[in-house]
Amino acid sequence: LPEHDVIVVGLGAHGSATLYQLAKRGISAIGIDRFNPPHEMGSTHGETRGTYEAGALGSAHHVPFSRRTIELWRELERDSGIELLTQDGILIMAGEDSELFRSTLKASTDTGSQFEVLDAGAIHARFPTLVPEDDVVAVYQPKGGVMRVEPTIGLQLQLALQHGATIRANEPVVGWTASESGVEVVTTQDTYRGGKVIFALGAYLPELVDLPVPITAERQLFAWWKPRTHADNFALGRVPVWMLEKPTHEIIYAFPDIGTGVKTGTHFEGTVTDPETVDRSVTDADLETLRTLLATIQPDVMGEYLRGVVCLYTCTPDRDFIVDVHPNHSNVIVACICNGQGFKYSAAFGETLAQLAIEGRTDLDISPWSLARFASS
Ligand SMILES: Cc1cc2nc3c(=O)[nH]c(=O)nc-3n(C[C@H](O)[C@H](O)[C@H](O)COP(=O)(O)OP(=O)(O)OC[C@H]3O[C@@H](n4cnc5c(N)ncnc54)[C@H](O)[C@@H]3O)c2cc1C
């Protein structure tokens, strides 16, 4: 049977970052995925993700991870010549009395992030495609921006291979066992033995790992549009990533056009689904929800609907992450880092998971994402 120090199951944002970090450290590592990453069957596809320094959907605990991720990506960019992150800014819009605006303002201040506060008139003057209602205010963070999803996964996997990792794609894991002497991971094609296993399965986690916490998959989507007019004002460099929270707490967001149209989406509870059977088509009802929200902030984006794709959120009861050792197996590590906000932290979590597997400790604090927090709540 093959032998490895660490087996990484799932090679999306977090598994690919982890495999790269393990291989870079000279650890004998194998990464296994049921599809051929990057692919559109999990949570890591759709060209872009947004990042910010502080606030918005994250807490103070998340900030070191977004900062470290940027450092690690800048290293990858320097070594590869591939652009992974464009710091085109991010605009977080909401009502002045909203929790989102107040907490983002406080977090930006507390963490020493660069930011400006803009009122509705200033938002429209600077970014003319946005037409916020009069009571909307924004925190603008110039260090936020657009992350390139598929190139990041591709590069991490390529570098992992170069550093000696083994990758098995299109090979579903169907079972595993752990004992004091190590772990055994069974796929449709082989059985792999290792010292430790890291499960980074996204929405598929409950299929393979039984945890004392309900984890659900939610159906979400992206839709791309060709603007009705003034297409250049929607381009990268002319408009930042933006999100707007409505008074009813729905969040709508869009990305600058990176050459494929303007990508839009919503962030609120999606339909609970099963990743095996989820409806992966974007329906008229999906588009109607988007159109209604976009009409209130960036109406000219909706010239022509170009395409849409379904993507999965993975949600825990408090909608925050799980990064922990399995409660019954000290050589099994579980990473569940999604709910629509994990990508901006992924390189740092890759480094952290590698440290946890090799050294049993981490530089950055992962205690906020322990499984134990659910037992005490
Ligand atoms: C609509 C949407 C918008 C988002 N927007 C943002 C954003 O703006 N900013 C941000 O920071 N984050 C955002 N996110 C979140 C971010 O994309 C995710 O947190 C991140 O991509 C999750 O990566 P992952 O590696 O945990 O999961 P995944 O990428 O889903 O990886 C899991 C992998 O496990 C594999 N797998 C599953 N089962 C098996 C098995 N049995 N055997 C082997 N392999 C298996 C899968 O094939 C998959 O490759 C968004 C997510 C969505 C869906």
Side-chain angles (χ1 to χ4, degrees):
L1 291 179
E3 295 277 353
H4 297 278
D5 292 333
V6 184
I7 303 174
V8 180
V9 185
L11 299 175
H14 296 98
S16 65
T18 307
L19 191 68
Y20 162 58
Q21 289 288 340
L22 289 165
K24 200 173 91 169
R25 288 165 166 75
I27 299 295
S28 150
I30 179 171
I32 308 173
D33 202 287
R34 64 183 280 178
F35 302 111
N36 190 14
H39 60 75
E40 296 202 342
M41 300 300 283
S43 306
T44 309
H45 55 279
E47 298 178 355
T48 48
R49 293 292 185 275
T51 186
Y52 43 79
E53 272 211 288
L57 309 173
S59 71
H61 304 299
H62 297 86
V63 176
F65 287 83
S66 51
R67 288 184 167 158
R68 181 66 185 144
T69 293
I70 290 176
E71 284 172 8
L72 289 167
W73 278 341
R74 290 301 186 213
E75 281 174 22
L76 286 180
E77 288 177 324
R78 271 195 302 276
D79 294 347
S80 68
I82 298 175
E83 186 180 11
L84 304 178
L85 165 69
T86 310
Q87 283 173 306
D88 182 33
I90 190 164
L91 191 68
I92 300 151
M93 296 181 276
E96 196 162 4
D97 294 329
S98 66
E99 175 60 26
L100 180 70
F101 174 70
R102 286 175 180 276
S103 62
T104 301
L105 192 58
K106 181 173 180 329
S108 305
T109 312
D110 290 352
T111 56
S113 303
Q114 231 176 300
F115 72 97
E116 275 176 75
V117 174
L118 305 179
D119 65 15
I123 294 168
H124 180 64
R126 196 179 300 187
F127 310 114
T129 64
L130 298 172
V131 289
E133 284 164 17
D134 287 348
D135 55 356
V136 169
V137 287
V139 174
Y140 174 68
Q141 294 181 356
K143 289 196 175 165
V146 180
M147 307 172 285
R148 305 297 203 288
V149 174
E150 287 83 357
T152 305
I153 308 310
L155 183 59
Q156 288 173 157
L157 292 178
Q158 183 196 325
L159 291 173
L161 279 175
Q162 281 172 15
H163 285 287
T166 303
I167 294 178
R168 293 272 182 268
N170 296 315
E171 194 171 324
V173 170
V174 291
W176 59 276
T177 52
S179 66
E180 273 176 26
S181 57
V183 296
E184 246 182 38
V185 171
V186 182
T187 71
T188 48
Q189 291 169 41
D190 213 335
T191 297
Y192 302 93
R193 288 185 59 222
K196 301 232 168 129
V197 60
I198 300 173
F199 288 108
L201 293 162
Y204 298 85
L205 180 65
E207 292 183 16
L208 270 189
V209 187
D210 202 11
L211 293 175
V213 179
I215 292 169
T216 51
E218 284 183 11
R219 180 180 173 280
Q220 303 282 351
L221 58 98
F222 300 118
W224 283 258
W225 308 83
K226 182 177 171 190
R228 189 175 293 152
T229 171
H230 294 103
D232 50 333
N233 279 343
F234 291 84
L236 187 67
R238 298 293 289 275
V239 65
V241 184
W242 60 261
M243 58 191 270
L244 167 71
E245 187 189 54
K246 304 292 293 176
T248 41
H249 299 300
E250 296 126 316
I251 290 178
I252 174 99
Y253 61 83
F255 288 79
D257 186 352
I258 59 164
T260 52
V262 179
K263 191 181 89 171
T264 61
T266 55
H267 177 83
F268 47 82
E269 278 181 34
T271 314
V272 173
T273 189
D274 180 336
E276 304 293 343
T277 55
V278 58
D279 180 0
R280 293 187 183 269
S281 61
V282 173
T283 64
D284 290 346
D286 292 327
L287 293 179
E288 199 42 44
T289 305
L290 265 175
R291 281 197 179 95
T292 305
L293 288 164
L294 284 169
T296 68
I297 179 70
Q298 201 179 42
D300 282 346
V301 75
M302 296 176 286
E304 186 191 336
Y305 168 64
L306 297 175
R307 73 179 180 104
V309 69
V310 164
C311 192
L312 298 169
Y313 278 10
T314 314
C315 301
T316 64
D318 62 6
R319 299 187 83 86
D320 207 341
F321 308 150
I322 295 169
V323 184
D324 206 349
V325 173
H326 190 285
N328 304 330
H329 307 288
S330 59
N331 40 16
V332 177
I333 294 170
V334 182
C336 175
I337 308 167
C338 186
N339 187 29
Q341 40 169 329
F343 197 81
K344 68 180 76 57
Y345 312 116
S346 56
F349 274 117
E351 184 177 61
T352 301
L353 289 163
Q355 287 171 349
L356 191 59
I358 302 166
E359 302 164 35
R361 54 156 294 281
T362 61
D363 287 347
L364 299 179
D365 180 16
I366 55 168
S367 62
W369 303 298
S370 72
L371 279 159
R373 77 183 188 275
F374 297 108
S376 57
S377 64

